[in-house]
Amino acid sequence: MVLIISKPKGTADIFGEELKYWYFVESTFRKITKLYNYREIRTPIFEATELFLRGVGEETDVVQKQMYTFEDKAGRSLTLRPEGTAPVMRSYIENSLMKEGLPQKFFYIGPVFRYEKPQAGRMRQFHQFGVELIGSHHPMADFETIILALDVLNELNLHDYVLYIGSIGCKNCRQRYKEALKEYYQPNLENLCHDCQRRFDTNILRLLDCKNEQCKAYQKDAPSTIDYLCDDCKTHFDKLISYLDAMNIEYEIDGHLVRGLDYYTRTVFEIKHKSLGAQDTIIGGGRYDGLVEELGGPSTPSVGFAGGIERIILALKNENVSVPKISVCQVYIAVLNEEARIYSLKLAQSLRSRGLIVEVDLMSRNIRNQMKYANRINAQYVIIIGDDELKRGVFTVRNMETGEQVEVDEKWVENYIVEKLEE
Ligand code: HAM
């Protein structure tokens, strides 16, 4: 017996009715990014491993535990992209996109890979949509990415979410904050998990997003990043908040929000959906003023976010949002003999050229089974062509919903169907 091969753990096949959610999320995201005049960028699914080591940070969970890294046949180390920001910045530098002037505003949609323990809302291959706004240090840029993210959620008819916003400051104020964190954690160091004990020395901010239950207990009383901002960073943060207030946007300030990737500076934000369990962040983003330089480009302040499409679809289902149906077959042409079949080919092409969704018999079925099939695919109308019909030049048109059947002159059948579908 030949064993059936299953899909890898943490991946999904997406087909059938499920697709309507994907089309809805993706088309809504495209629609909103268009209103803000963002242009699409498509980067490779794999990149040099070095890009993520430098971009995302060696001490992050993503780099330490979650990357799909492999050697190609020439011995190069490559990695399936675990996120989209570093690749977009690599492309920005490599293609000298700064020459076209600033800001540069990009959006992307595509698969992302992280070796994580799969659970509801946590996959090994998942999909992100995201934007990167390159070249502005102004809090207006932070504001634009946040309001764009909210516009996407609102256009999707989602309501049960909360925007959390914080600032982790620049290098200088972060240094002061790290010292305060060290002081806070020092007396309890031995109660933390092994990873956190190591990160205490290598990257102490990571202690704030450790998922270990024991470590979590110490997170809530840790000092707040907001209290350690330098004057410039504080002004930046206050301005951003004033824009959110001016637009009556609801948010919660979170002084423990550090995000899981090392490139962030100043603004960080996350949008969580109340209906989701442990994996409730549907959108995450922030400012990353040092990344382009870190990757060898000129110093370029930037800000962006990414949303997890699978999680957003879970949220849509939990909120019972009604989503546009995938289009159904509008016309099925049933034929009774070979002459009718030839005729059906022309008629089908002609109807399709007018934008109608048309199917013909591909299985050489008898008329009863053709009608059954038309029923199964929810065809709206069936045109029946047989000997008699061809001789007389009139076709039978059946409305599959009402069962009503009329005879229509061959010359008028196309117009008749088009008009009926428009009604
Ligand atoms: P991130 O927070 O790592 O940020 O991921 C963004 C979103 O991807 C998360 O909020 C979540 O919805 C989704 N996500 C993450 N991991 C998984 C998973 N294993 N399964 C399903 N969904 C997941 C970034 O990736 C940054 N590049 C965002 C960014 C863009 N920052 C600035 N620009």
Side-chain angles (χ1 to χ4, degrees):
M1 201 177 68
V2 183
L3 273 183
I4 292 174
I5 299 166
S6 337
K7 61 185 179 311
K9 208 171 153 184
T11 67
D13 298 316
I14 305 155
F15 57 89
E17 273 301 290
E18 187 67 11
L19 276 170
K20 70 179 180 197
Y21 290 98
W22 289 81
Y23 294 162
F24 183 49
V25 173
E26 290 170 8
S27 63
T28 302
F29 179 67
R30 284 178 186 277
K31 180 170 149 188
I32 299 296
T33 48
K34 192 172 169 186
L35 296 178
Y36 287 80
N37 204 23
Y38 282 59
R39 290 180 301 157
E40 185 166 7
I41 185 160
R42 301 185 187 195
T43 60
I45 277 176
F46 57 87
E47 295 272 359
T49 302
E50 179 69 16
L51 174 66
F52 302 110
L53 298 186
R54 271 206 265 159
V56 171
E58 302 216 21
E59 270 303 320
T60 57
D61 270 358
V62 168
V63 166
Q64 293 251 318
K65 302 178 183 166
Q66 299 173 354
M67 294 210 302
Y68 280 91
T69 297
F70 59 97
E71 270 193 10
D72 73 2
K73 293 195 193 307
R76 301 177 192 92
S77 179
L78 299 171
T79 293
L80 299 185
R81 65 176 178 209
E83 62 101 50
T85 309
V88 171
M89 294 305 125
R90 194 263 314 130
S91 175
Y92 169 80
I93 299 166
E94 190 168 346
N95 296 298
S96 302
L97 296 175
M98 58 292 265
K99 278 198 206 133
E100 293 171 21
L102 296 175
Q104 290 285 322
K105 308 193 293 183
F106 296 109
F107 79 84
Y108 50 87
I109 304 178
V112 180
F113 307 85
R114 293 186 193 172
Y115 190 81
E116 291 192 85
K117 202 165 174 216
Q119 62 179 79
R122 192 160 74 191
M123 314 275 298
R124 290 184 172 170
Q125 173 174 335
F126 59 100
H127 298 76
Q128 286 185 342
F129 59 67
V131 306
E132 311 298 349
L133 196 174
I134 306 171
S136 169
H137 65 269
H138 200 281
M140 256 312 284
D142 312 51
F143 171 75
E144 177 162 297
T145 58
I146 293 173
I147 196 165
L148 193 160
L150 294 173
D151 274 1
V152 172
L153 297 182
N154 295 339
E155 188 70 17
L156 288 170
N157 288 316
L158 286 172
H159 303 290
D160 272 350
Y161 59 78
V162 180
L163 163 65
Y164 293 90
I165 184 151
S167 174
I168 56 168
C170 62
K171 267 194 194 129
N172 297 337
C173 39
R174 203 157 345 124
Q175 195 48 41
R176 289 200 303 133
Y177 178 67
K178 282 180 177 174
E179 281 158 21
L181 262 191
K182 280 210 163 162
E183 218 167 285
Y184 169 78
Y185 272 110
Q186 183 76 62
N188 299 306
L189 200 51
E190 60 213 33
N191 300 329
L192 303 179
C193 73
H194 283 305
D195 276 348
C196 281
Q197 288 184 10
R198 195 190 69 245
R199 287 168 176 164
F200 180 84
D201 292 316
T202 56
N203 192 347
I204 188 152
L205 286 189
R206 297 274 72 83
L207 269 60
L208 289 176
D209 58 25
C210 179
K211 302 285 181 288
N212 183 300
E213 283 307 319
Q214 224 170 315
C215 301
K216 270 184 170 170
Y218 291 99
Q219 288 166 2
K220 56 180 188 308
D221 294 326
S224 162
T225 54
I226 313 288
D227 294 337
Y228 291 82
L229 296 179
C230 65
D231 288 349
D232 284 353
C233 289
K234 182 79 172 81
T235 306
H236 184 97
F237 185 65
D238 289 345
K239 267 215 166 134
L240 170 58
I241 294 295
S242 75
Y243 299 152
L244 295 172
D245 288 341
M247 294 301 286
N248 290 323
I249 291 168
E250 286 178 31
Y251 56 84
E252 279 185 29
I253 291 181
D254 183 347
H256 293 149
L257 189 57
V258 289
R259 312 267 303 121
L261 312 160
D262 270 355
Y263 47 62
Y264 291 107
T265 52
R266 294 192 166 171
T267 311
V268 282
F269 67 95
E270 282 186 352
I271 302 177
K272 293 184 193 259
H273 197 271
K274 291 182 204 159
S275 78
L276 302 178
Q279 308 303 320
D280 58 352
T281 306
I282 51 175
I283 286 180
R287 180 167 276 286
Y288 47 94
D289 291 345
L291 181 57
V292 176
E293 218 173 348
E294 184 68 41
L295 297 176
S299 166
T300 312
S302 302
V303 53
F305 71 78
I309 299 184
E310 284 81 356
R311 290 187 193 174
I312 287 175
I313 289 175
L314 287 173
L316 286 168
K317 291 178 181 170
N318 291 347
E319 281 202 44
N320 281 321
V321 174
S322 88
V323 166
K325 279 202 181 116
I326 296 179
S327 49
V328 288
C329 178
Q330 292 173 302
V331 184
Y332 178 84
I333 306 175
V335 292
L336 286 143
N337 58 38
E338 204 47 32
E339 199 188 338
R341 187 181 301 283
I342 302 269
Y343 193 91
S344 80
L345 303 179
K346 295 178 190 156
L347 180 58
Q349 284 315 94
S350 184
L351 288 169
R352 287 177 187 135
S353 75
R354 296 177 72 161
L356 267 51
I357 305 168
V358 182
E359 278 207 44
V360 292
D361 170 49
L362 301 171
M363 306 292 285
S364 192
R365 287 185 167 123
N366 64 28
I367 185 70
R368 211 174 127 254
N369 287 338
Q370 287 187 56
M371 293 310 282
K372 263 197 193 162
Y373 177 76
N375 210 16
R376 181 157 68 76
I377 61 170
N378 287 319
Q380 288 174 278
Y381 285 89
V382 173
I383 302 174
I384 302 164
I385 312 176
D387 268 347
D388 191 39
E389 282 87 351
L390 277 181
K391 256 187 239 132
R392 289 178 24 228
V394 283
F395 299 150
T396 304
V397 178
R398 183 181 172 90
N399 178 329
M400 295 297 279
E401 203 187 316
T402 62
E404 185 196 359
Q405 243 172 240
V406 288
E407 289 202 326
V408 183
D409 191 285
E410 177 186 342
K411 283 203 292 292
W412 299 111
V413 71
E414 281 190 40
N415 285 345
Y416 174 83
I417 293 263
V418 170
E419 273 171 31
K420 281 284 177 193
L421 285 167
E422 276 171 2
E423 268 173 19

